[in-house]
Amino acid sequence: MLRGGLSLGRQALGRRAGLFQSPKRTFAALTDLKKLPQPGDKLHGFTVQRAKKVPELQLAAVELKHDTTGANYIHVARDDTNNVFAIGFKTNPNDDTGVPHILEHTTLCGSEKYPVRDPFFKMLNRSLSNYMNAFTSGDHTTYPFATTNRVDFNNLMDVYLDATLKPLLQESDFKQEGWRIGPENPTDPLSPLLFKGVVYNEMKGQMSDSSYLYYIRFQDHIFPDLHNSGGDPQKITDLTLEQLRKFHKDHYNPSNAKIFTYGDAPIEEHLTRLNERLAGFGQSPMDTDLRLPITLDESKMITVEGPIDPLTDKDAQHKTSVSWIMNDISDVDETFALRIMSNYLLDGYGSPLYQGLIDEKLGSDFTPNTGFDTSAKKSIFSVGLQNVRKEDVRTVQEKISIILEDVCKRGFNEKKIDGILHQLELGLKHKTATFGMSLMQGLTPAWFNGVDPFDSLSWESTVNKFKERYAEGGYLEGLLKKYLLGTHTLTFTMVPEKGYSHSLATEEKERLHREIEKAGGEAARESLVKQELELLEIQEAARDMDLSCLPTVKVSDIPREMEAKPLQHGKIGDVPVQWREAPTNGLTYFRAVNSLEDLPEDLRMYLPLFTDAILRLGTAKKSMEQLEDEIKLKTGGIKAGTHISTNHSNLEITEEGLVFSGYCLDKNVPDMLELLRTVLLETNFYAISKLRTLVQGIASGFVNSLAESGHSFARTFAAAHLTPGARSAEVMGGMTQVRLISNLASKEIYNDTLDILRQIGKFAARQNGLRIAITCGTESVSDNEKAVKKFIDALPIAETPIRDSPLFDFEAPTKALFPLPYQVSYTGMCVKTVPYTHQDGAALQMLSQLLTHKHLHHEIREKGGAYGGGAFHRGAGGIFGFYSYRDPNVANTLKVMEEAGQWAMQKQWAERDLEEAKLSVFQGVDAPQSVSEEGMVYFLDRITDEMRQVRRQQLLDVSIADIRNVAQKYLVDQVAAGQTAVAVLGEPKDVVDDSWNIFPLSLDPQAQPDMSQFEKVTL
């Protein structure tokens, strides 16, 4: 299925097969140590240090060292065409200015070999990669990518190495990505002066999120030597360009680097190219500082202030946690055992700490620092609760100790430990398309903190040692006593402060005044305005910059024929069953859709809560703890969710329902299906207390979701009145769902809710309306057919209630504002387009990429200062839209969105522009799939391979004339006719006039938005 692309920050997703086919090498050949470089070998400027085969992961690893610079390099050979590259640097920050974060951005803004503005983003549509990113961690910075295309791999490796080792670090890049002072409206020299900058605004958004703020302030106190690498807005404005350049010189050199490659590409190819890049450098000082948390010679209690969460109970706003300093993570075996212990204590509704804290209604969810953190030299274990009442804070802290002591006294339940180990076994067997990237992300933090990466790869040895020690008895109890009982702790509490957001704004205003005074006061306005206009000129010039120096792959190399995955279709009884026979490593994947038509609105809105409840409330005979133990012992997990699919040929037809899935070892399929039947038919929908806990937890989770993915909620709401499918998506997963759950959490009257869930339970699992998909090895088909038949026979035949009243109307759907106490905002604007099979769909897909890369990124991110922005087209949903993410300038963004169609019509598109758009689209079209996802496009959306093949050819054949046609028809004309819909989450300033509808989000029934703060501005 084709869906609109999304690129936030420095990330892109997509894929394509190689331009050429190298001779196929078997797993044995790829990982045969005799055929890999041997210890002591000198190859292309590198010396092999050691090699190791890891049969349980079907890989072999080789460690090398660059002779001239001392750069560390690990290559992991595996029979996987999705090759991965990463280069990382130790980047311990010495202050909170965010220098590692801003450097991560600015290194990708141009380099010696590629002196174009922002080659990273330019490469997003000159590549067929399925992953491109850069991320700043607490003490290191990493630049990874993945692609199945060998030429693409070499292109991107060259760009990444030049960007990180030889960046230009120009002043204009620092001002754009880091911070500057400039007029709010560059064309109006009298408009207010503001702090600007992509990272500055990103971190303003982060620091507005109370959960993120809690975690950062906790880190400040338990790990003061490891400063905020992302940057605190109050400190970012202390950073200078000279300090940034010095940080790069000190940290971004090969001697301080760790390089990682993975996949089936020959290591010799990598060594040659790496040496060409590294040979020009000499030996430089390494950052070997492995920073440690505080030493707890005595227990400490810290209290700080934070913002109020609008979606949670105003009387339960405290967050509190207890933390312990744990082991040195270089002891891989003990670290693994402590991770098992943490999982036992915290994971799942049946875990001791969940039952003893959240089930006891002391809080709604765990704090963001809860868990076993191994990201630094010394590990930290934390347990905490959020949404705690003031009078319960001390009780929470005391109860944590009581629970841990009780676990130690009772001992660790062997069945639960077996379930945790079984999950690890299935995780190894489960074939994912992103194994290499996951491996890199798992190895890197420990590698930078002194852990031998070969020890980290020795999974089977580590597990066997754990099993041996656990079998001797008392092993985990001993670790619990050693680290968690009778030891010193750090107790960290954040208390709500009503004026917190106001104090942030006041501090920023005062800091801005000081910086302006330093620059010369009001007399400096002219120079600051001039500086802003000069930056705009540089940004504008970049639009038409010659990019011929950048490497690229070609659309002509993309096969016109898609790779089909054979499916078989049949019936078991009257239930349609789709079979996908493929090598699954001994696993069976199950998915079922129960189609529900014309449900009454009150039932449809509660379908998401129903899918959560059946995996939370337990049954009359078994508690959820008992069911969870069985699920962990017999399956890789069971999931339930809502299903929405717009018809491929008619936007007015939508299939709605429920979807259930799970996977397990072939031998456990009967047990998995019996567990699924149990939760579907026997859930106890009279458990008011557990439902309350569930609802409070969901409401708490929405707070984080809005802060992290506000743009998704904005565009979902904006699209809601355009098509039935988009409307369903909003009702069952958008702001309507947020308001429903928040209302339930506020009123705490659950009898009516339980009655609705019971009504849904009568038809949620039924034979009629059901279809099933099975993916498994050929050898398992017969046994699976028998198990599926037994499952179907156990389900009732039931009719669904029929809607006898119209759907409720959204209030003023064309312009909606959801005020939130964030310093930045999220926007979405949408228009209705065409169904999947319509010929215009391909051109609309291309238009979304063209607008994102050639216009919106430039206007919304570079000039407007938002962290992200772009266009998307939901090919299977008939929605074209725009979004912005952590946006300080909503009024300007909405203007840019409204005029985007006109811009596309006036733009003199070149064939190269269209070529790049097609490459960008096919990153997603040909993205590598996990075996469990094969055949799911047809199963879920009924889009056939024939339809997909037609769409593929249409995408490849889109012309510039097609782009102009759809830009006029679906953007220009609809904007002129007032057929757009807009939603904004965040600050309402400078946006709202009388045409907007305001939806307050608060659990306080008396809370209403302060209308006096809304300036009347006509858009």
Side-chain angles (χ1 to χ4, degrees):
M1 180 188 310
L2 300 175
R3 298 192 186 277
L6 174 61
S7 178
L8 287 181
R10 297 186 173 265
Q11 176 174 327
L13 303 174
R15 172 284 193 179
R16 239 282 295 136
L19 290 179
F20 58 86
Q21 295 296 320
S22 57
K24 183 65 175 177
R25 294 178 291 164
T26 64
F27 157 65
L30 280 168
T31 60
D32 186 348
L33 291 182
K34 295 179 180 179
K35 296 183 179 180
L36 290 169
Q38 300 297 302
D41 286 355
K42 290 186 174 295
L43 298 166
H44 307 290
F46 286 83
T47 298
V48 180
Q49 304 297 304
R50 54 182 172 159
K52 181 183 182 67
K53 188 170 184 176
V54 187
E56 63 268 28
L57 298 179
Q58 299 178 324
L59 59 83
V62 182
E63 183 180 16
L64 307 96
K65 190 173 185 179
H66 190 243
D67 298 334
T68 306
T69 65
N72 293 124
Y73 171 38
I74 286 180
H75 173 70
V76 175
R78 196 167 187 259
D79 186 19
D80 189 343
T81 60
N82 197 21
N83 288 272
V84 174
F85 169 86
I87 183 169
F89 305 90
K90 188 74 170 177
T91 51
N92 284 316
N94 292 316
D95 53 39
D96 291 337
T97 60
V99 59
H101 188 188
I102 294 173
L103 182 59
E104 172 225 309
H105 281 242
T106 51
T107 54
L108 299 175
C109 286
S111 63
E112 287 187 13
K113 185 175 180 181
Y114 304 109
V116 301
R117 189 167 182 80
D118 215 343
F120 179 90
F121 278 101
K122 301 296 191 299
M123 286 302 296
L124 291 179
N125 51 7
R126 299 171 73 88
S127 164
L128 288 166
S129 64
N130 57 75
Y131 187 91
M132 285 177 64
N133 207 346
F135 45 84
T136 304
S137 302
D139 60 2
H140 63 277
T141 306
T142 311
Y143 299 80
F145 69 79
T147 180
T148 61
N149 185 304
R150 294 280 182 84
V151 172
D152 198 25
F153 185 95
N154 294 333
N155 290 346
L156 290 171
M157 181 195 288
D158 200 53
V159 171
Y160 269 54
L161 288 171
D162 203 63
T164 53
L165 298 176
K166 296 184 177 181
L168 298 178
L169 300 181
Q170 299 178 108
E171 183 176 12
S172 59
D173 298 326
F174 175 73
K175 292 183 181 300
Q176 173 183 289
E177 299 296 322
W179 75 276
R180 66 188 186 277
I181 298 174
E184 182 176 29
N185 180 0
T187 62
D188 179 5
L190 298 179
S191 67
L193 295 174
L194 303 172
F195 282 125
K196 294 185 172 185
V198 172
V199 171
Y200 184 83
N201 286 317
E202 175 193 356
M203 299 314 297
K204 279 182 67 176
Q206 287 277 43
M207 301 297 272
S208 298
D209 175 7
S210 63
S211 292
Y212 176 85
L213 183 66
Y214 180 87
Y215 179 79
I216 286 297
R217 293 294 177 248
F218 163 75
Q219 286 287 107
D220 289 344
H221 286 87
I222 201 166
F223 225 133
D225 284 347
L226 195 62
H227 296 269
N228 183 350
S229 61
D232 186 327
Q234 296 181 13
K235 301 297 182 181
I236 286 175
T237 50
D238 293 337
L239 183 66
T240 67
L241 176 60
E242 290 69 28
Q243 291 169 336
L244 181 85
R245 287 171 172 167
K246 186 179 187 305
F247 194 86
H248 177 271
K249 181 180 179 181
D250 293 343
H251 295 83
Y252 277 49
N253 57 75
S255 302
N256 197 43
K258 297 191 185 301
I259 302 168
F260 175 93
T261 56
Y262 162 93
D264 66 353
I267 185 175
E268 292 79 9
E269 292 183 9
H270 302 330
L271 290 172
T272 301
R273 289 180 171 82
L274 285 170
N275 188 51
E276 289 175 356
R277 279 293 173 189
L278 303 182
F281 293 85
Q283 189 81 35
S284 299
M286 292 177 60
D287 185 350
T288 57
D289 185 9
L290 302 181
R291 300 191 177 183
L292 301 174
I294 59 174
T295 299
L296 288 172
D297 296 324
E298 59 180 1
S299 292
K300 298 183 179 181
M301 301 189 72
I302 305 292
T303 300
V304 300
E305 293 181 345
I308 291 176
D309 290 330
L311 296 182
T312 54
D313 187 345
K314 63 182 177 64
D315 295 322
Q317 294 273 339
H318 286 66
K319 298 178 176 68
T320 190
S321 64
V322 180
S323 300
W324 295 259
I325 308 299
M326 305 289 277
N327 73 326
D328 186 321
I329 64 169
S330 62
D331 186 342
V332 172
D333 295 332
E334 186 175 74
T335 300
F336 177 83
L338 290 172
R339 187 171 285 114
I340 295 290
M341 183 178 76
S342 173
N343 190 296
Y344 182 99
L345 294 171
L346 289 164
D347 187 45
Y349 298 124
S351 64
L353 287 164
Y354 188 96
Q355 289 187 329
L357 297 173
I358 297 176
D359 271 354
E360 292 299 313
K361 303 178 181 61
L362 292 173
S364 66
D365 203 353
F366 291 121
T367 50
N369 64 329
T370 294
F372 183 50
D373 181 359
T374 59
S375 61
K377 177 68 172 173
K378 279 273 192 175
S379 62
I380 298 170
F381 181 73
S382 303
V383 183
L385 287 184
Q386 50 193 357
N387 305 124
V388 178
R389 294 181 179 276
K390 181 179 180 179
E391 61 269 23
D392 289 336
V393 169
R394 186 61 186 166
T395 303
V396 169
Q397 298 160 0
E398 294 171 349
K399 191 69 181 291
I400 290 170
S401 295
I402 293 172
I403 294 167
L404 295 177
E405 290 172 358
D406 185 63
V407 170
C408 189
K409 181 180 178 181
R410 292 173 178 270
F412 284 77
N413 184 295
E414 184 175 356
K415 184 177 179 181
K416 291 181 182 292
I417 297 298
D418 287 344
I420 294 170
L421 294 174
H422 181 251
Q423 295 298 298
L424 293 173
E425 177 190 0
L426 289 185
L428 283 181
K429 285 182 168 290
H430 176 49
K431 291 185 175 182
T432 68
T434 58
F435 178 87
M437 190 59 65
S438 298
L439 185 68
M440 183 279 298
Q441 292 173 342
L443 288 178
T444 300
W447 192 12
F448 273 109
N449 280 285
V451 177
D452 186 334
F454 277 29
D455 287 347
S456 298
L457 289 172
S458 301
W459 188 87
E460 188 170 12
S461 171
T462 301
V463 172
N464 287 339
K465 288 179 183 177
F466 171 80
K467 288 181 177 179
E468 290 171 6
R469 292 171 180 171
Y470 181 71
E472 294 172 358
Y475 179 44
L476 291 177
E477 291 83 355
L479 290 175
L480 197 154
K481 291 177 183 177
K482 177 182 178 181
Y483 289 109
L484 303 182
L485 298 183
T487 56
H488 298 309
T489 61
L490 173 72
T491 301
F492 184 76
T493 303
M494 180 175 281
V495 300
E497 171 54 51
K498 287 184 178 181
Y500 187 83
S501 296
H502 177 72
S503 67
L504 285 182
T506 300
E507 185 281 332
E508 183 180 48
K509 184 177 180 180
E510 294 172 351
R511 179 163 39 91
L512 176 64
H513 177 73
R514 291 196 302 271
E515 290 294 332
I516 293 174
E517 288 300 309
K518 284 167 57 177
E522 189 61 27
R525 171 180 287 275
E526 183 178 347
S527 64
L528 291 171
V529 171
K530 181 181 177 183
Q531 170 187 281
E532 189 75 9
L533 293 175
E534 288 172 350
L535 179 59
L536 283 174
E537 288 180 9
I538 293 172
Q539 293 168 334
E540 282 297 325
R543 282 183 181 273
D544 301 314
M545 182 176 286
D546 180 9
L547 303 180
S548 59
C549 66
L550 287 175
T552 184
V553 290
K554 298 178 181 179
V555 170
S556 59
D557 295 298
I558 299 175
R560 290 189 68 83
E561 301 295 321
M562 63 176 280
E563 180 184 357
K565 303 293 184 182
L567 303 173
Q568 291 79 43
H569 297 90
K571 282 191 173 185
I572 297 179
D574 292 325
V575 176
V577 180
Q578 172 182 297
W579 296 89
R580 167 66 181 147
E581 297 178 26
T584 59
N585 213 16
L587 299 178
T588 291
Y589 299 90
F590 171 91
R591 196 168 300 192
V593 168
N594 180 11
S595 180
L596 306 172
E597 296 181 8
D598 296 324
L599 278 183
E601 191 78 276
D602 60 338
L603 298 185
R604 295 168 72 250
M605 291 185 66
Y606 283 85
L607 289 179
L609 182 58
F610 174 85
T611 63
D612 288 328
I614 62 174
L615 294 172
R616 174 62 184 96
L617 302 185
T619 70
K621 297 179 180 179
K622 291 185 178 181
S623 67
M624 196 61 228
E625 178 184 6
Q626 293 172 309
L627 288 171
E628 269 191 342
D629 288 345
E630 293 183 26
I631 289 171
K632 289 181 179 179
L633 276 169
K634 296 296 184 179
T635 81
I638 292 174
K639 297 179 181 179
T642 56
H643 168 72
I644 303 167
S645 177
T646 296
N647 183 273
H648 49 68
S649 300
N650 187 340
L651 294 181
E652 300 308 310
I653 299 175
T654 298
E655 180 185 61
E656 301 173 1
L658 298 171
V659 59
F660 313 106
S661 63
Y663 74 97
C664 63
L665 295 170
D666 291 338
K667 66 179 181 180
N668 290 334
V669 171
D671 296 313
M672 176 179 71
L673 294 180
E674 173 57 21
L675 285 165
L676 181 58
R677 185 206 65 79
T678 299
V679 298
L680 286 172
L681 298 182
E682 298 180 15
T683 290
N684 177 19
F685 290 116
Y686 292 90
I688 292 182
S689 178
K690 292 190 181 299
L691 181 65
R692 176 200 178 277
T693 303
L694 174 63
V695 169
Q696 295 289 338
I698 296 172
S700 176
F702 276 139
V703 174
N704 296 332
S705 296
L706 291 175
E708 286 297 317
S709 306
H711 61 295
S712 295
F713 285 94
R715 62 189 189 181
T716 298
F717 191 88
H721 82 294
L722 299 175
T723 70
R727 186 185 191 288
S728 296
E730 165 58 31
V731 169
M732 291 191 273
M735 295 304 296
T736 304
Q737 193 68 204
V738 172
R739 299 178 85 209
L740 169 69
I741 296 297
S742 299
N743 188 49
L744 288 176
S746 173
K747 292 182 177 179
E748 293 203 12
I749 301 174
Y750 294 110
N751 285 324
D752 291 344
T753 302
L754 285 167
D755 182 61
I756 291 173
L757 297 181
R758 284 192 292 272
Q759 292 182 56
I760 296 172
K762 293 176 182 178
F763 55 82
R766 53 181 188 148
Q767 293 186 32
N768 48 321
L770 189 71
R771 64 177 184 270
I772 290 173
I774 301 288
T775 300
C776 63
T778 303
E779 70 281 0
S780 305
V781 170
S782 179
D783 288 342
N784 284 338
E785 190 169 5
K786 296 174 185 174
V788 172
K789 183 179 187 306
K790 182 179 179 182
F791 171 74
I792 292 172
D793 289 344
L795 300 180
I797 296 175
E799 297 301 325
T800 61
I802 300 298
R803 184 186 307 133
D804 57 6
S805 60
L807 300 175
F808 69 81
D809 291 329
F810 286 109
E811 298 177 69
T814 57
K815 286 185 178 181
L817 170 72
F818 296 88
L820 288 170
Y822 300 153
Q823 297 184 73
V824 288
S825 299
Y826 307 83
T827 65
M829 176 183 290
C830 295
V831 296
K832 181 178 178 180
T833 59
V834 294
Y836 182 84
T837 55
H838 194 286
Q839 62 182 10
D840 285 351
L844 286 162
Q845 195 78 14
M846 292 300 164
L847 178 61
S848 71
Q849 295 300 314
L850 287 166
L851 286 174
T852 295
H853 294 291
K854 301 298 182 181
H855 184 54
L856 300 172
H857 171 79
H858 175 74
E859 293 290 332
I860 296 174
R861 188 181 192 276
E862 292 184 349
K863 293 169 65 175
Y867 188 52
F872 64 93
H873 182 245
R874 293 177 188 160
I879 299 294
F880 191 101
F882 306 91
Y883 66 90
S884 71
Y885 180 78
R886 291 182 178 159
D887 188 349
N889 197 351
V890 171
N892 178 70
T893 293
L894 292 177
K895 183 174 184 294
V896 169
M897 291 174 176
E898 288 180 348
E899 297 174 354
Q902 287 285 2
W903 183 89
M905 290 295 297
Q906 296 168 6
K907 170 72 174 176
Q908 296 300 309
W909 297 108
E911 287 297 332
R912 179 65 228 177
D913 297 328
L914 193 55
E915 174 106 347
E916 291 177 357
K918 290 177 181 179
L919 290 173
S920 184
V921 166
F922 271 89
Q923 291 173 1
V925 172
D926 286 339
Q929 277 190 323
S930 301
V931 65
S932 59
E933 295 301 314
E934 293 174 357
M936 288 301 107
V937 171
Y938 176 75
F939 179 71
L940 295 174
D941 296 305
R942 308 324 252 175
I943 295 175
T944 66
D945 282 352
E946 290 74 20
M947 293 176 188
R948 295 173 66 200
Q949 179 59 40
V950 169
R951 180 57 164 260
R952 182 185 191 87
Q953 292 173 349
Q954 290 173 340
L955 288 168
L956 290 169
D957 295 338
V958 168
S959 67
I960 292 174
D962 295 331
I963 297 296
R964 295 189 187 283
N965 176 56
V966 296
Q968 179 70 46
K969 185 188 302 185
Y970 299 103
L971 296 186
V972 176
D973 291 351
Q974 292 203 66
V975 168
Q979 294 173 338
T980 61
V982 177
V984 175
L985 277 66
E987 287 191 320
K989 65 178 182 180
D990 299 334
V991 174
V992 176
D993 60 21
D994 294 335
S995 66
W996 287 73
N997 237 44
I998 301 167
F999 297 83
L1001 287 172
S1002 173
L1003 291 191
D1004 181 358
Q1006 306 302 318
Q1008 294 293 333
D1010 179 8
M1011 295 301 296
S1012 65
Q1013 63 180 310
F1014 299 157
E1015 296 186 30
K1016 304 298 183 181
V1017 178
T1018 302
L1019 297 177

